[in-house]
Amino acid sequence: MSNTEPRPEDLMGLSDGEYDTILDIMGRTPNFTELGIFSVMWSEHCSYKSSKKWLKTLPIDGPQVIQGPGENAGVVDIGDGQAAIFKIESHNHPSFIEPYQGAATGVGGILRDVFTMGARPVANLNALRFGSPDHPKTRHLVGGVVAGVGGYGNCIGVPTVGGEVNFDPSYNGNILVNAMTVGIASTDKIFYSAAAGVGLPVVYVGSKTGRDGIHGATMASAEFADDADEKRPTVQVGDPFTEKLLLEACLELMATDAIVAIQDMGAAGLTSSSVEMASKGDVGIELDIDRVPQRETGMSAYEIMLSESQERMLMVLHPGREDMARKIFEKWELDFAVIGVTNDSGHLTLLEGGETSADIPVPPLVAAAPEYDRPWTPTPPRPVINATEIDAPDDLGDVLTALIGGPELCSRRWVWEQYDHMVMGDTVVRPGGDAALVRVHGTGKGLAMATDCSPRYVFANPIEGGRQAVAEAWRNVTAVGATPLAVTNNLNFGNPERPEIMGQLVGSVQGMGEACEALDCPVVSGNVSLYNETNGSGILPTPVIGCVGVMADVAKAVTSEFKAVGETIFVIGETQGWLGCSLYQRHMTGDVAGAPPPVNLEAERKNGDLVRHLIADGVLTACHDVSDGGLAVAITEMAMASEASEKGAEIGAEINISPDIATHGWAFGEDQGRYVVTSSAPEAVSAAAAAAGVPARAIGMTVAATLTLPSTRPISVAELKALNERWLPDYMAAG
């Protein structure tokens, strides 16, 4: 090999130190296939080598937790012998390269993570972030990703019920596509991935293996350069109709006693699934590569082991159950092949043409994977900005209309109307509100779920931003009346080899941990996506939180829209007019500066517990958490959602207080821990709040047709709604 020719280990993303460790483990020079297996297992995407030191600090236990991090998905008890199984995962790099297939296979992969544990998926969510609307690629990426998410979820018949869509220039070169699935299983029928036992048949089921997605895990563990489009062959191709068959076949087999262990073939494909199953079961595994169903000819062991072709699973069965299992998968017209056996060697052994083509000890592939304590620097604190330091507008209404009619706060209806959110017939609260609510089929019980993150807060102060991401997701689930149970997280950051980026990750994990502890909402699953950079320019730190809660009776759920004229409007929680890092500040100054709003976790807990209590008692008619844009936007959103429900006219609000702080700070401040609620029994709200020691201030009444804020003219709710719903369809149509 010439001095100018790259070494295989360099092409596979291994450092010199990592390669030297591999030489020590093997006691010889690994062959190309063995080196490829090490490279994907030790990639950032599979090994979490830069983040696991910090992930270990997160709270993962609680009386509701059946399974925390370490399996395909997290599992929590929801009562009545049932469990919710859920996880969120990224498909960022593939979606930037090939938006439709990248997003579609992201949905397919997270669905498999959930049903491989025995759950029937009941809901999908997502968190999507795109570059600046005026960037030449943004419109194309939005269209492709939304079509991919909808195409896969709609075809497999699982409703897409919630999510986020946001724009920021930091995502110009690296969009984020985070997909979440929630499923329901019986607590006595949960399946795990430990292949415990010797002499057990190893079975491949699903689609055939092709060359798509080879080294997808490695590609997802490196930043982009100008050649991003050339990585298209590393993007997988999905088939939701095959996945539907695979789902039904797996659930049918799970109703028997045949399965010892089961694992989705996701990132790193057959390599990660076989190695992780063997590692967890403390066994060796021998695979005959020639028996793997293949859709292309002449595939090498390297290609077969590293392919990330979709809609595939690996199972370990009890001996003697092979024929019964085969009949099930053949009935569903899926491939079924016994490709190996577990043994006591402690090695992954590959046979090809009857000869050994790879032989690697299993434990080092997992246990000896690098764990880095990367240098990090804390994000410097920012000064607190008083509302009086930012100019007040001549008319609050002008700022309000600009915000709700622009990309930050416009309606996402154009997006979620492309998703089938009613399939399966159990969606109680649809997209567009605080949290989705899905009935547990055949019962009155429901699961509430939401995804949240405010990256500008995390960038300004990672600890506060991490707290806020958890608190807002918890708040959204609370706002419909559900009790939050646990969270899943998707940590999207830039290059961890840069100390300031690593500091963002460390700080946000600290903040998330503090919030999860205070809110009794442990982390049960998650994903880390690093190197979200292009030519050294990173994304805003984006630790997305997915929260799931349970509600005993969905008939008691409260939604965000105003219901009737003449009801009292309250603000629950304290309003100080915090404008640092706010959308108002960006609108008025063109910048997002200063410290973000602090999160008082004790107040967050008290305020949310009160709201949940009021909903359970039937005292509230509407509830909406206060987030981006502050009180003015929250109230406007409640009015716009009223759907002309009172005698053909939308329901608005007349805010009749004189704020005791700067009016623009009162209207647009993004103080945390707050809810806007309505009630026809205001005395009951005031009494309950006083008893709980929670601030609750009556600020006005619901009225017909118009919205009037302090010091503003009345504004037509119908006009606000038309403005709010216009931006995104107009933007997409302009392309």
Side-chain angles (χ1 to χ4, degrees):
M1 183 180 294
S2 71
N3 290 333
T4 58
E5 196 171 338
R7 301 173 302 173
E9 58 266 32
D10 295 331
L11 294 173
M12 294 183 188
L14 293 164
S15 70
D16 288 344
E18 289 168 353
Y19 183 65
D20 289 342
T21 301
I22 293 169
L23 293 178
D24 290 341
I25 291 168
M26 298 292 287
R28 59 177 171 82
T29 301
N31 63 37
F32 195 72
T33 300
E34 293 167 335
L35 193 61
I37 289 171
F38 269 104
S39 76
V40 293
M41 290 305 299
W42 287 11
S43 68
E44 195 75 64
H45 193 75
C46 292
S47 74
Y48 299 120
K49 57 191 176 186
S50 295
S51 58
K52 56 187 172 184
K53 168 185 170 66
W54 303 102
L55 297 177
K56 293 174 185 176
T57 67
L58 290 169
I60 60 173
D61 298 314
Q64 71 275 42
V65 177
I66 295 173
Q67 174 64 53
E71 272 292 340
N72 288 289
V75 186
V76 295
D77 195 326
I78 60 172
D80 307 309
Q82 295 173 313
I85 300 181
F86 59 97
K87 186 183 180 184
I88 191 169
E89 194 160 78
S90 62
H91 229 220
N92 302 335
H93 286 54
S95 299
F96 182 76
I97 298 166
E98 216 314 304
Y100 184 94
Q101 290 297 346
T105 52
V107 173
I110 197 64
L111 282 162
R112 289 193 302 279
D113 279 340
V114 167
F115 75 71
T116 192
M117 298 197 69
R120 178 170 290 281
V122 298
N124 290 329
L125 300 90
N126 52 69
L128 312 178
R129 284 178 168 81
F130 301 98
S132 172
D134 58 9
H135 189 274
K137 284 190 174 182
T138 297
R139 189 179 286 105
H140 162 71
L141 291 168
V142 172
V145 165
V146 170
V149 169
Y152 208 101
N154 296 354
C155 290
I156 199 171
V158 176
T160 301
V161 297
E164 301 178 279
V165 179
N166 294 105
F167 300 89
D168 188 89
S170 75
Y171 306 107
N172 283 347
N174 276 90
I175 64 172
L176 301 184
V177 175
N178 295 175
M180 178 176 169
T181 293
V182 182
I184 296 174
S186 297
T187 54
D188 60 352
K189 273 289 187 179
I190 296 169
F191 291 82
Y192 299 96
S193 57
V198 171
L200 307 179
V202 179
V203 175
Y204 172 116
V205 299
S207 292
K208 290 180 169 60
T209 294
R211 290 189 169 94
D212 54 318
I214 293 174
H215 263 300
T218 307
M219 181 269 290
S221 304
E223 63 181 83
F224 283 147
D226 292 328
D227 62 350
D229 287 343
E230 297 173 16
K231 299 180 184 286
R232 190 165 280 111
T234 62
V235 178
Q236 309 92 328
V237 178
D239 180 356
F241 299 106
T242 298
E243 179 123 334
K244 173 63 173 174
L245 301 178
L246 183 61
L247 163 64
E248 299 299 341
C250 286
L251 292 179
E252 183 174 340
L253 184 60
M254 286 168 170
T256 74
D257 62 352
I259 297 174
V260 174
I262 181 170
Q263 176 82 23
D264 161 45
M265 287 192 224
L270 186 53
T271 290
S272 64
S273 55
S274 59
V275 169
E276 288 172 8
M277 293 174 84
S279 174
K280 290 175 183 176
D282 197 24
V283 297
I285 191 166
E286 180 182 271
L287 302 179
D288 188 338
I289 293 300
D290 298 332
R291 296 183 184 178
V292 174
Q294 300 164 45
R295 69 167 183 259
E296 300 183 45
T297 60
M299 291 187 71
S300 66
Y302 172 88
E303 292 174 317
I304 291 169
M305 291 301 292
L306 271 64
S307 167
E308 293 184 10
S309 294
Q310 297 291 286
E311 293 85 44
R312 303 179 301 158
M313 308 284 273
L314 196 65
M315 298 180 178
V316 174
L317 302 182
H318 289 289
R321 305 294 200 278
E322 298 94 322
D323 288 344
M324 179 266 289
R326 184 187 303 275
K327 288 177 183 177
I328 290 174
F329 282 87
E330 288 179 348
K331 180 186 76 173
W332 291 100
E333 300 182 344
L334 295 166
D335 278 286
F336 179 100
V338 179
I339 66 169
V341 64
T342 62
N343 56 43
D344 60 2
S345 70
H347 281 231
L348 170 67
T349 307
L350 306 183
L351 301 179
E352 194 174 12
E355 301 291 329
T356 300
S357 61
D359 187 357
I360 307 174
V362 167
L365 283 170
V366 180
E371 178 175 331
Y372 293 129
D373 184 3
R374 295 197 183 278
W376 61 278
T377 56
T379 300
R382 291 185 179 187
V384 172
I385 294 178
N386 191 285
T388 58
E389 297 177 52
I390 302 175
D391 289 342
D394 294 331
D395 190 323
L396 296 182
D398 293 338
V399 178
L400 177 64
T401 54
L403 289 177
I404 67 159
E408 288 94 349
L409 296 177
C410 71
S411 169
R412 271 49 175 166
R413 183 184 296 272
W414 180 91
V415 173
W416 57 257
E417 283 192 338
Q418 297 184 54
Y419 305 151
D420 188 339
H421 46 271
M422 298 302 293
V423 66
M424 300 179 77
D426 284 317
T427 304
V428 178
V429 177
R430 307 181 185 192
D434 288 313
L437 183 63
V438 176
R439 181 185 296 104
V440 176
H441 191 71
T443 75
K445 184 168 58 181
L447 293 179
M449 55 204 76
T451 59
D452 280 294
C453 184
S454 297
R456 67 184 185 278
Y457 294 170
V458 186
F459 183 74
N461 185 325
I463 296 174
E464 289 291 359
R467 290 177 187 142
Q468 193 273 341
V470 173
E472 186 174 353
W474 185 89
R475 200 184 309 138
N476 278 325
V477 167
T478 291
V480 299
T483 300
L485 293 175
V487 303
T488 180
N489 58 26
N490 205 144
L491 309 183
N492 306 275
F493 290 84
N495 185 343
E497 297 167 48
R498 294 167 54 194
E500 68 275 17
I501 301 297
M502 196 64 211
Q504 294 171 352
L505 190 151
V506 171
S508 67
V509 169
Q510 177 186 332
M512 284 188 290
E514 292 172 359
C516 289
E517 287 275 11
L519 301 174
D520 286 339
C521 212
V523 179
V524 296
S525 60
N527 174 248
V528 179
S529 175
L530 304 180
Y531 295 96
N532 289 289
E533 297 200 0
T534 297
N535 293 327
S537 178
I539 62 166
L540 286 176
T542 312
V544 173
I545 295 293
C547 185
V548 173
V550 68
M551 191 166 192
D553 183 1
V554 297
K556 292 186 175 182
V558 167
T559 51
S560 63
E561 69 273 13
F562 291 146
K563 304 299 191 303
V565 167
E567 296 189 329
T568 303
I569 303 170
F570 286 87
V571 177
I572 306 293
E574 186 177 4
T575 298
Q576 296 178 327
W578 195 284
L579 290 179
C581 279
S582 68
L583 295 186
Y584 175 87
Q585 181 192 43
R586 175 183 287 170
H587 173 76
M588 295 296 291
T589 70
D591 192 16
V592 179
V599 179
N600 181 327
L601 292 169
E602 181 182 358
E604 189 78 56
R605 178 68 182 265
K606 287 175 63 176
N607 298 356
D609 288 350
L610 170 67
V611 165
R612 212 176 302 111
H613 167 73
L614 291 170
I615 291 173
D617 286 352
V619 175
L620 303 185
T621 55
C623 180
H624 187 29
D625 90 301
V626 182
S627 55
D628 286 349
L631 282 174
V633 168
I635 294 164
T636 303
E637 288 173 340
M638 297 173 81
M640 293 188 299
S642 63
E643 299 287 348
S645 58
E646 176 129 329
K647 298 180 181 179
E650 287 84 358
I651 301 170
E654 183 173 334
I655 306 305
N656 52 25
I657 67 162
S658 298
D660 49 12
I661 58 175
T663 303
H664 61 300
W666 179 90
F668 297 107
E670 296 179 5
D671 306 277
Q672 297 297 294
R674 295 182 298 161
Y675 305 78
V676 177
V677 303
T678 59
S679 179
S680 56
E683 298 85 0
V685 174
S686 297
V694 170
R697 184 175 185 182
I699 61 170
M701 302 289 290
T702 55
V703 298
T706 61
L707 173 68
T708 307
L709 297 173
S711 305
T712 66
R713 66 190 186 284
I715 309 171
S716 162
V717 174
E719 291 177 9
L720 288 168
K721 185 173 181 180
L723 179 66
N724 182 245
E725 300 217 348
R726 185 183 308 146
W727 187 88
L728 192 51
D730 286 356
Y731 173 72
M732 295 306 297

